[in-house]
PDB file of all heavy atoms in Angstrom:
ATOM      1  N   LEU A 264       8.218 -13.448 -18.221  1.00  0.00           N
ATOM      2  CA  LEU A 264       7.430 -12.737 -17.222  1.00  0.00           C
ATOM      3  C   LEU A 264       7.736 -11.255 -17.250  1.00  0.00           C
ATOM      4  O   LEU A 264       6.835 -10.408 -17.169  1.00  0.00           O
ATOM      5  CB  LEU A 264       7.719 -13.314 -15.827  1.00  0.00           C
ATOM      6  CG  LEU A 264       7.020 -12.620 -14.653  1.00  0.00           C
ATOM      7  CD1 LEU A 264       5.511 -12.618 -14.859  1.00  0.00           C
ATOM      8  CD2 LEU A 264       7.392 -13.301 -13.352  1.00  0.00           C
ATOM      9  N   ARG A 267       6.017  -9.722 -20.161  1.00  0.00           N
ATOM     10  CA  ARG A 267       4.578  -9.617 -19.924  1.00  0.00           C
ATOM     11  C   ARG A 267       4.248  -8.431 -19.024  1.00  0.00           C
ATOM     12  O   ARG A 267       3.321  -7.663 -19.297  1.00  0.00           O
ATOM     13  CB  ARG A 267       4.079 -10.907 -19.274  1.00  0.00           C
ATOM     14  CG  ARG A 267       2.629 -10.849 -18.810  1.00  0.00           C
ATOM     15  CD  ARG A 267       2.264 -12.105 -18.064  1.00  0.00           C
ATOM     16  NE  ARG A 267       1.192 -11.844 -17.124  1.00  0.00           N
ATOM     17  CZ  ARG A 267       0.986 -12.587 -16.059  1.00  0.00           C
ATOM     18  NH1 ARG A 267       1.772 -13.599 -15.790  1.00  0.00           N
ATOM     19  NH2 ARG A 267      -0.006 -12.312 -15.250  1.00  0.00           N
ATOM     20  N   VAL A 268       5.027  -8.261 -17.959  1.00  0.00           N
ATOM     21  CA  VAL A 268       4.768  -7.147 -17.039  1.00  0.00           C
ATOM     22  C   VAL A 268       4.967  -5.816 -17.729  1.00  0.00           C
ATOM     23  O   VAL A 268       4.150  -4.898 -17.615  1.00  0.00           O
ATOM     24  CB  VAL A 268       5.689  -7.255 -15.803  1.00  0.00           C
ATOM     25  CG1 VAL A 268       5.577  -6.001 -14.955  1.00  0.00           C
ATOM     26  CG2 VAL A 268       5.316  -8.474 -14.983  1.00  0.00           C
ATOM     27  N   LEU A 269       6.060  -5.681 -18.494  1.00  0.00           N
ATOM     28  CA  LEU A 269       6.319  -4.420 -19.173  1.00  0.00           C
ATOM     29  C   LEU A 269       5.245  -4.091 -20.193  1.00  0.00           C
ATOM     30  O   LEU A 269       4.786  -2.957 -20.291  1.00  0.00           O
ATOM     31  CB  LEU A 269       7.692  -4.482 -19.858  1.00  0.00           C
ATOM     32  CG  LEU A 269       8.900  -4.432 -18.918  1.00  0.00           C
ATOM     33  CD1 LEU A 269      10.179  -4.630 -19.715  1.00  0.00           C
ATOM     34  CD2 LEU A 269       8.948  -3.133 -18.153  1.00  0.00           C
ATOM     35  N   VAL A 270       4.831  -5.089 -20.974  1.00  0.00           N
ATOM     36  CA  VAL A 270       3.832  -4.854 -22.020  1.00  0.00           C
ATOM     37  C   VAL A 270       2.493  -4.486 -21.405  1.00  0.00           C
ATOM     38  O   VAL A 270       1.812  -3.570 -21.862  1.00  0.00           O
ATOM     39  CB  VAL A 270       3.701  -6.092 -22.932  1.00  0.00           C
ATOM     40  CG1 VAL A 270       2.486  -5.964 -23.838  1.00  0.00           C
ATOM     41  CG2 VAL A 270       4.964  -6.251 -23.767  1.00  0.00           C
ATOM     42  N   GLU A 271       2.072  -5.196 -20.337  1.00  0.00           N
ATOM     43  CA  GLU A 271       0.764  -4.933 -19.749  1.00  0.00           C
ATOM     44  C   GLU A 271       0.755  -3.654 -18.931  1.00  0.00           C
ATOM     45  O   GLU A 271      -0.267  -2.981 -18.834  1.00  0.00           O
ATOM     46  CB  GLU A 271       0.338  -6.111 -18.874  1.00  0.00           C
ATOM     47  CG  GLU A 271       0.069  -7.377 -19.668  1.00  0.00           C
ATOM     48  CD  GLU A 271      -0.581  -8.448 -18.805  1.00  0.00           C
ATOM     49  OE1 GLU A 271      -1.410  -8.087 -17.953  1.00  0.00           O
ATOM     50  OE2 GLU A 271      -0.249  -9.621 -18.987  1.00  0.00           O
ATOM     51  N   ALA A 272       1.902  -3.291 -18.351  1.00  0.00           N
ATOM     52  CA  ALA A 272       1.918  -2.135 -17.467  1.00  0.00           C
ATOM     53  C   ALA A 272       2.167  -0.837 -18.197  1.00  0.00           C
ATOM     54  O   ALA A 272       1.750   0.217 -17.751  1.00  0.00           O
ATOM     55  CB  ALA A 272       2.996  -2.318 -16.385  1.00  0.00           C
ATOM     56  N   ASP A 273       2.877  -0.873 -19.318  1.00  0.00           N
ATOM     57  CA  ASP A 273       3.270   0.343 -20.024  1.00  0.00           C
ATOM     58  C   ASP A 273       2.057   0.980 -20.677  1.00  0.00           C
ATOM     59  O   ASP A 273       1.454   0.396 -21.564  1.00  0.00           O
ATOM     60  CB  ASP A 273       4.305  -0.021 -21.082  1.00  0.00           C
ATOM     61  CG  ASP A 273       4.962   1.214 -21.692  1.00  0.00           C
ATOM     62  OD1 ASP A 273       4.442   2.319 -21.477  1.00  0.00           O
ATOM     63  OD2 ASP A 273       5.981   1.061 -22.371  1.00  0.00           O
ATOM     64  N   VAL A 320      10.820  -4.784 -11.239  1.00  0.00           N
ATOM     65  CA  VAL A 320       9.802  -4.435 -12.231  1.00  0.00           C
ATOM     66  C   VAL A 320       8.490  -5.125 -11.907  1.00  0.00           C
ATOM     67  O   VAL A 320       7.423  -4.527 -11.936  1.00  0.00           O
ATOM     68  CB  VAL A 320      10.282  -4.816 -13.643  1.00  0.00           C
ATOM     69  CG1 VAL A 320       9.183  -4.575 -14.663  1.00  0.00           C
ATOM     70  CG2 VAL A 320      11.519  -4.001 -14.013  1.00  0.00           C
ATOM     71  N   ALA A 321       8.540  -6.417 -11.582  1.00  0.00           N
ATOM     72  CA  ALA A 321       7.316  -7.132 -11.276  1.00  0.00           C
ATOM     73  C   ALA A 321       6.675  -6.601 -10.015  1.00  0.00           C
ATOM     74  O   ALA A 321       5.456  -6.492  -9.918  1.00  0.00           O
ATOM     75  CB  ALA A 321       7.612  -8.630 -11.130  1.00  0.00           C
ATOM     76  N   SER A 323       6.862  -3.572  -8.845  1.00  0.00           N
ATOM     77  CA  SER A 323       6.261  -2.278  -9.103  1.00  0.00           C
ATOM     78  C   SER A 323       5.122  -2.392 -10.091  1.00  0.00           C
ATOM     79  O   SER A 323       4.050  -1.843  -9.881  1.00  0.00           O
ATOM     80  CB  SER A 323       7.330  -1.317  -9.642  1.00  0.00           C
ATOM     81  OG  SER A 323       8.364  -1.159  -8.708  1.00  0.00           O
ATOM     82  N   ALA A 324       5.352  -3.106 -11.196  1.00  0.00           N
ATOM     83  CA  ALA A 324       4.327  -3.328 -12.223  1.00  0.00           C
ATOM     84  C   ALA A 324       3.543  -2.060 -12.515  1.00  0.00           C
ATOM     85  O   ALA A 324       2.360  -1.950 -12.274  1.00  0.00           O
ATOM     86  CB  ALA A 324       3.385  -4.442 -11.807  1.00  0.00           C
ATOM     87  N   ALA A 325       4.243  -1.071 -13.035  1.00  0.00           N
ATOM     88  CA  ALA A 325       3.669   0.236 -13.389  1.00  0.00           C
ATOM     89  C   ALA A 325       3.525   1.152 -12.210  1.00  0.00           C
ATOM     90  O   ALA A 325       2.831   2.145 -12.273  1.00  0.00           O
ATOM     91  CB  ALA A 325       2.308   0.094 -14.083  1.00  0.00           C
ATOM     92  N   THR A 401      -1.718  -0.167  -7.195  1.00  0.00           N
ATOM     93  CA  THR A 401      -1.717  -1.026  -6.014  1.00  0.00           C
ATOM     94  C   THR A 401      -1.030  -2.340  -6.375  1.00  0.00           C
ATOM     95  O   THR A 401      -1.150  -2.830  -7.493  1.00  0.00           O
ATOM     96  CB  THR A 401      -3.145  -1.327  -5.524  1.00  0.00           C
ATOM     97  OG1 THR A 401      -3.857  -2.038  -6.549  1.00  0.00           O
ATOM     98  CG2 THR A 401      -3.889  -0.049  -5.192  1.00  0.00           C
ATOM     99  N   PHE A 402      -0.275  -2.852  -5.432  1.00  0.00           N
ATOM    100  CA  PHE A 402       0.344  -4.162  -5.612  1.00  0.00           C
ATOM    101  C   PHE A 402       0.189  -4.942  -4.318  1.00  0.00           C
ATOM    102  O   PHE A 402       0.565  -4.462  -3.246  1.00  0.00           O
ATOM    103  CB  PHE A 402       1.822  -4.035  -5.971  1.00  0.00           C
ATOM    104  CG  PHE A 402       2.515  -5.364  -6.119  1.00  0.00           C
ATOM    105  CD1 PHE A 402       2.122  -6.263  -7.101  1.00  0.00           C
ATOM    106  CD2 PHE A 402       3.551  -5.720  -5.275  1.00  0.00           C
ATOM    107  CE1 PHE A 402       2.754  -7.497  -7.234  1.00  0.00           C
ATOM    108  CE2 PHE A 402       4.188  -6.949  -5.397  1.00  0.00           C
ATOM    109  CZ  PHE A 402       3.780  -7.839  -6.381  1.00  0.00           C
ATOM    110  N   THR A 403      -0.392  -6.119  -4.407  1.00  0.00           N
ATOM    111  CA  THR A 403      -0.590  -6.988  -3.251  1.00  0.00           C
ATOM    112  C   THR A 403      -0.079  -8.377  -3.615  1.00  0.00           C
ATOM    113  O   THR A 403      -0.396  -8.899  -4.688  1.00  0.00           O
ATOM    114  CB  THR A 403      -2.081  -7.076  -2.864  1.00  0.00           C
ATOM    115  OG1 THR A 403      -2.559  -5.757  -2.557  1.00  0.00           O
ATOM    116  CG2 THR A 403      -2.267  -7.970  -1.642  1.00  0.00           C
ATOM    117  N   GLY A 410      -0.019 -12.903  -6.493  1.00  0.00           N
ATOM    118  CA  GLY A 410      -0.319 -11.499  -6.256  1.00  0.00           C
ATOM    119  C   GLY A 410      -0.994 -10.843  -7.439  1.00  0.00           C
ATOM    120  O   GLY A 410      -1.264 -11.473  -8.464  1.00  0.00           O
ATOM    121  N   GLU A 411      -1.250  -9.551  -7.289  1.00  0.00           N
ATOM    122  CA  GLU A 411      -1.895  -8.786  -8.352  1.00  0.00           C
ATOM    123  C   GLU A 411      -1.450  -7.332  -8.276  1.00  0.00           C
ATOM    124  O   GLU A 411      -1.379  -6.738  -7.195  1.00  0.00           O
ATOM    125  CB  GLU A 411      -3.416  -8.869  -8.239  1.00  0.00           C
ATOM    126  CG  GLU A 411      -4.146  -8.128  -9.361  1.00  0.00           C
ATOM    127  CD  GLU A 411      -5.658  -8.238  -9.231  1.00  0.00           C
ATOM    128  OE1 GLU A 411      -6.184  -7.821  -8.184  1.00  0.00           O
ATOM    129  OE2 GLU A 411      -6.290  -8.737 -10.180  1.00  0.00           O
ATOM    130  N   ALA A 412      -1.132  -6.772  -9.443  1.00  0.00           N
ATOM    131  CA  ALA A 412      -0.782  -5.356  -9.569  1.00  0.00           C
ATOM    132  C   ALA A 412      -1.819  -4.674 -10.457  1.00  0.00           C
ATOM    133  O   ALA A 412      -2.131  -5.167 -11.540  1.00  0.00           O
ATOM    134  CB  ALA A 412       0.607  -5.196 -10.167  1.00  0.00           C
ATOM    135  N   VAL A 413      -2.361  -3.562 -10.001  1.00  0.00           N
ATOM    136  CA  VAL A 413      -3.384  -2.826 -10.742  1.00  0.00           C
ATOM    137  C   VAL A 413      -2.963  -1.364 -10.843  1.00  0.00           C
ATOM    138  O   VAL A 413      -2.573  -0.761  -9.837  1.00  0.00           O
ATOM    139  CB  VAL A 413      -4.766  -2.917 -10.062  1.00  0.00           C
ATOM    140  CG1 VAL A 413      -5.803  -2.115 -10.849  1.00  0.00           C
ATOM    141  CG2 VAL A 413      -5.197  -4.367  -9.912  1.00  0.00           C
ATOM    142  N   ALA A 414      -3.003  -0.806 -12.054  1.00  0.00           N
ATOM    143  CA  ALA A 414      -2.718   0.606 -12.277  1.00  0.00           C
ATOM    144  C   ALA A 414      -3.997   1.315 -12.697  1.00  0.00           C
ATOM    145  O   ALA A 414      -4.703   0.846 -13.600  1.00  0.00           O
ATOM    146  CB  ALA A 414      -1.641   0.781 -13.340  1.00  0.00           C
ATOM    147  N   VAL A 439      -9.092   1.668 -15.144  1.00  0.00           N
ATOM    148  CA  VAL A 439      -8.025   0.691 -14.923  1.00  0.00           C
ATOM    149  C   VAL A 439      -7.147   0.634 -16.171  1.00  0.00           C
ATOM    150  O   VAL A 439      -7.603   0.280 -17.259  1.00  0.00           O
ATOM    151  CB  VAL A 439      -8.597  -0.702 -14.602  1.00  0.00           C
ATOM    152  CG1 VAL A 439      -7.469  -1.727 -14.488  1.00  0.00           C
ATOM    153  CG2 VAL A 439      -9.399  -0.655 -13.302  1.00  0.00           C
ATOM    154  N   ALA A 440      -5.876   0.981 -16.014  1.00  0.00           N
ATOM    155  CA  ALA A 440      -4.944   0.992 -17.144  1.00  0.00           C
ATOM    156  C   ALA A 440      -4.327  -0.374 -17.374  1.00  0.00           C
ATOM    157  O   ALA A 440      -4.073  -0.764 -18.518  1.00  0.00           O
ATOM    158  CB  ALA A 440      -3.841   2.021 -16.899  1.00  0.00           C
ATOM    159  N   SER A 441      -4.071  -1.109 -16.318  1.00  0.00           N
ATOM    160  CA  SER A 441      -3.475  -2.436 -16.469  1.00  0.00           C
ATOM    161  C   SER A 441      -3.758  -3.256 -15.224  1.00  0.00           C
ATOM    162  O   SER A 441      -3.962  -2.722 -14.138  1.00  0.00           O
ATOM    163  CB  SER A 441      -1.968  -2.349 -16.705  1.00  0.00           C
ATOM    164  OG  SER A 441      -1.307  -1.831 -15.566  1.00  0.00           O
ATOM    165  N   ARG A 442      -3.768  -4.568 -15.416  1.00  0.00           N
ATOM    166  CA  ARG A 442      -3.945  -5.503 -14.305  1.00  0.00           C
ATOM    167  C   ARG A 442      -3.059  -6.718 -14.584  1.00  0.00           C
ATOM    168  O   ARG A 442      -3.211  -7.382 -15.606  1.00  0.00           O
ATOM    169  CB  ARG A 442      -5.410  -5.928 -14.171  1.00  0.00           C
ATOM    170  CG  ARG A 442      -5.708  -6.779 -12.932  1.00  0.00           C
ATOM    171  CD  ARG A 442      -7.169  -7.226 -12.933  1.00  0.00           C
ATOM    172  NE  ARG A 442      -8.088  -6.101 -12.965  1.00  0.00           N
ATOM    173  CZ  ARG A 442      -8.541  -5.476 -11.883  1.00  0.00           C
ATOM    174  NH1 ARG A 442      -8.160  -5.880 -10.685  1.00  0.00           N
ATOM    175  NH2 ARG A 442      -9.377  -4.468 -12.005  1.00  0.00           N
ATOM    176  N   VAL A 443      -2.104  -6.971 -13.703  1.00  0.00           N
ATOM    177  CA  VAL A 443      -1.170  -8.087 -13.864  1.00  0.00           C
ATOM    178  C   VAL A 443      -1.340  -9.018 -12.676  1.00  0.00           C
ATOM    179  O   VAL A 443      -1.251  -8.592 -11.522  1.00  0.00           O
ATOM    180  CB  VAL A 443       0.288  -7.594 -13.949  1.00  0.00           C
ATOM    181  CG1 VAL A 443       1.232  -8.775 -14.140  1.00  0.00           C
ATOM    182  CG2 VAL A 443       0.450  -6.584 -15.084  1.00  0.00           C
ATOM    183  N   THR A 444      -1.602 -10.299 -12.958  1.00  0.00           N
ATOM    184  CA  THR A 444      -1.828 -11.293 -11.908  1.00  0.00           C
ATOM    185  C   THR A 444      -0.688 -12.291 -11.885  1.00  0.00           C
ATOM    186  O   THR A 444      -0.216 -12.733 -12.938  1.00  0.00           O
ATOM    187  CB  THR A 444      -3.158 -12.036 -12.138  1.00  0.00           C
ATOM    188  OG1 THR A 444      -4.220 -11.072 -12.147  1.00  0.00           O
ATOM    189  CG2 THR A 444      -3.419 -13.040 -11.026  1.00  0.00           C
ATOM    190  N   PHE A 445      -0.231 -12.651 -10.685  1.00  0.00           N
ATOM    191  CA  PHE A 445       0.828 -13.625 -10.496  1.00  0.00           C
ATOM    192  C   PHE A 445       0.247 -14.870  -9.834  1.00  0.00           C
ATOM    193  O   PHE A 445      -0.366 -14.789  -8.764  1.00  0.00           O
ATOM    194  CB  PHE A 445       1.952 -13.057  -9.628  1.00  0.00           C
ATOM    195  CG  PHE A 445       2.594 -11.820 -10.216  1.00  0.00           C
ATOM    196  CD1 PHE A 445       2.174 -10.556  -9.834  1.00  0.00           C
ATOM    197  CD2 PHE A 445       3.600 -11.928 -11.161  1.00  0.00           C
ATOM    198  CE1 PHE A 445       2.745  -9.415 -10.375  1.00  0.00           C
ATOM    199  CE2 PHE A 445       4.178 -10.792 -11.708  1.00  0.00           C
ATOM    200  CZ  PHE A 445       3.751  -9.542 -11.321  1.00  0.00           C
ATOM    201  N   ALA A 446       0.435 -16.022 -10.469  1.00  0.00           N
ATOM    202  CA  ALA A 446       0.003 -17.295  -9.893  1.00  0.00           C
ATOM    203  C   ALA A 446       0.945 -17.672  -8.753  1.00  0.00           C
ATOM    204  O   ALA A 446       2.055 -17.139  -8.647  1.00  0.00           O
ATOM    205  CB  ALA A 446       0.005 -18.385 -10.961  1.00  0.00           C
ATOM    206  N   GLU A 449       4.916 -17.549  -8.843  1.00  0.00           N
ATOM    207  CA  GLU A 449       5.339 -16.809 -10.034  1.00  0.00           C
ATOM    208  C   GLU A 449       6.079 -15.526  -9.686  1.00  0.00           C
ATOM    209  O   GLU A 449       6.998 -15.111 -10.396  1.00  0.00           O
ATOM    210  CB  GLU A 449       4.120 -16.490 -10.900  1.00  0.00           C
ATOM    211  CG  GLU A 449       4.478 -15.988 -12.275  1.00  0.00           C
ATOM    212  CD  GLU A 449       3.258 -15.812 -13.152  1.00  0.00           C
ATOM    213  OE1 GLU A 449       2.179 -15.455 -12.626  1.00  0.00           O
ATOM    214  OE2 GLU A 449       3.364 -16.041 -14.367  1.00  0.00           O
TER     215      GLU A 449
END
Side-chain angles (χ1 to χ4, degrees):
L264 177 57
R267 172 186 154 204
V268 171
L269 288 175
V270 169
E271 293 190 37
D273 191 347
V320 175
S323 300
T401 62
F402 178 63
T403 301
E411 182 179 58
V413 179
V439 175
S441 66
R442 187 184 302 272
V443 181
T444 301
F445 300 95
E449 192 174 34

